[in-house]
Amino acid sequence: MAGHIQDRWYKTQPGPNGKPIRVKTDRHGIGLRYRARYIGPDGTEKSKSFPDKQKRKAETWLSNVEADMSRGDYIAPEAGKVTFEQYATRWMKTQMTDPATREAVEMRLRLHVLPHIGKRPIGSFNPTHLRLWMRGLEDAGLSAAYRRGIFAHVSTVFTAAVEDRVIRANPCSARSVKAPRLDPRKIKPWPSERVKAVREALPEKYRAMVDPAAGCGLRQGRCSGSRLRTWTSSVASSMWSGKSSCSGATRLRSAQGREGAGRSSARVHRLRVGRAPDADACCRGDVAVEDVGRPAGHCGADLPEL
């Protein structure tokens, strides 16, 4: 056995005839009677106390500890006492993703996670706590996609805690805890007239962002973060035809925006009619837009370099 059971109400001492006898201690009848003690993998003594008439339960608990040690599944009792906020803070310091991603994850945890569940010990979570927390995010009006991203971050923190032997299981993996479902509604693109009106209403330095947004499906962050070197078009003038898609072929060459890239990607992605373009592909390398089945407008003729 990994340790032994101490009876704090009785002790054994030699009797008058030399045989050991049990006598009451000064603690007899006070507090919990049995204390299961063992030496942990780190060399320190661990213990847990049990009340009177529960010696068998103490022995079972000690046997389970020994079995966990032999299987490599042992988790120190005090490991789960660290709060979610304390562990998540340490976890963030070990991330190797790009700075923008780390900043986004830190912001979501700080705004929508730590104020609600940050003070709870990480080993005390059960599915109910997570369902209540997610219901609060929904009641706050956050979109399903945004809540799904936050849930993924929290689940990743719990997974790291499992791998670090801080907790035994990830509560986000419980069958009753489900990630928010994305809105199944199809996106209705703007008509070209509306795209044109928005472009003309923007300040001059921002107008070029409308073209990759409407023509290639880039989101705001992708448009503002991309370093667009050159835009070339088979059409020499603006193509505001009023149709629901671009006509002609427009090629957008973009340099990789990641730090240290230093060169343009050689990939060329063909965007077929009726299919939404890949926003990541547009920012990752060269993109050829051929009759994209999305509302567009001006598709790159005479655009200033960003």
Side-chain angles (χ1 to χ4, degrees):
M1 186 171 290
H4 68 281
I5 306 297
Q6 176 189 8
D7 188 345
R8 291 185 285 187
W9 287 8
Y10 290 89
K11 64 181 179 179
T12 302
Q13 64 183 30
N17 56 358
K19 294 183 178 180
I21 60 173
R22 296 177 63 198
V23 297
K24 295 180 180 180
T25 65
D26 296 338
R27 299 189 50 161
H28 184 272
I30 302 175
L32 301 178
R33 179 175 178 177
Y34 299 105
R35 181 167 66 173
R37 307 169 68 178
Y38 67 96
I39 302 299
D42 59 353
T44 61
E45 183 182 85
K46 317 289 183 182
S47 65
K48 183 177 180 179
S49 298
F50 296 83
D52 186 25
K53 300 181 180 181
Q54 290 193 11
K55 184 177 181 180
R56 181 63 61 85
K57 186 176 181 179
E59 292 174 343
T60 301
W61 179 84
L62 201 56
S63 298
N64 291 335
V65 170
E66 182 182 35
D68 288 343
M69 287 185 179
S70 64
R71 293 192 303 264
D73 295 336
Y74 172 78
I75 296 178
E78 68 276 6
K81 295 181 181 179
V82 63
T83 65
F84 182 90
E85 181 175 5
Q86 291 171 334
Y87 183 82
T89 301
R90 294 203 304 262
W91 173 80
M92 280 297 305
K93 294 179 180 179
T94 64
Q95 297 308 292
M96 303 298 293
T97 54
D98 61 274
T101 300
R102 293 199 299 269
E103 183 179 355
V105 173
E106 188 277 333
M107 180 195 68
R108 292 180 178 181
L109 293 177
R110 173 170 45 84
L111 296 180
H112 305 295
V113 179
L114 300 184
H116 305 284
I117 62 176
K119 302 303 180 183
R120 175 173 291 277
I122 196 169
S124 67
F125 279 90
N126 59 46
T128 299
H129 298 134
L130 296 179
R131 291 197 301 269
L132 289 174
W133 162 66
M134 289 191 295
R135 179 58 185 271
L137 296 183
E138 182 179 0
D139 294 341
L142 301 181
S143 68
Y146 193 62
R147 287 185 282 116
R148 190 180 181 89
I150 298 172
F151 178 83
H153 298 326
V154 172
S155 181
T156 302
V157 173
F158 279 120
T159 298
V162 172
E163 296 174 349
D164 287 342
R165 303 296 187 194
V166 175
I167 57 177
R168 191 170 300 276
N170 183 350
C172 292
S173 300
R175 296 180 61 182
S176 62
V177 179
K178 301 183 183 299
R181 294 183 178 181
L182 297 178
D183 192 345
R185 293 178 300 175
K186 295 183 65 175
I187 297 176
K188 295 182 179 180
W190 287 356
S192 57
E193 293 80 6
R194 186 174 185 181
V195 176
K196 181 178 180 180
V198 169
R199 192 181 196 281
E200 294 178 348
L202 287 173
E204 180 65 27
K205 62 179 180 179
Y206 296 127
R207 290 180 182 177
M209 295 176 61
V210 176
D211 299 283
C216 300
L218 298 187
R219 292 170 295 187
Q220 178 179 348
R222 296 291 189 182
C223 292
S224 59
S226 299
R227 298 178 181 179
L228 306 183
R229 294 290 181 84
T230 58
W231 293 57
T232 59
S233 176
S234 60
V235 183
S237 60
S238 300
M239 295 186 298
W240 290 102
S241 60
K243 298 180 180 179
S244 60
S245 64
C246 297
S247 60
T250 301
R251 176 159 300 194
L252 163 64
R253 304 181 183 275
S254 65
Q256 274 186 292
R258 299 183 184 276
E259 183 178 356
R263 66 181 185 277
S264 297
S265 172
R267 301 184 186 91
V268 175
H269 299 265
R270 299 288 176 178
L271 308 179
R272 303 302 180 186
V273 176
R275 295 185 61 182
D278 180 3
D280 290 328
C282 293
C283 284
R284 191 169 55 238
D286 290 352
V287 176
V289 182
E290 297 180 346
D291 292 327
V292 182
R294 296 173 63 92
H298 190 287
C299 290
D302 303 327
L303 291 180
E305 185 174 349
L306 296 182

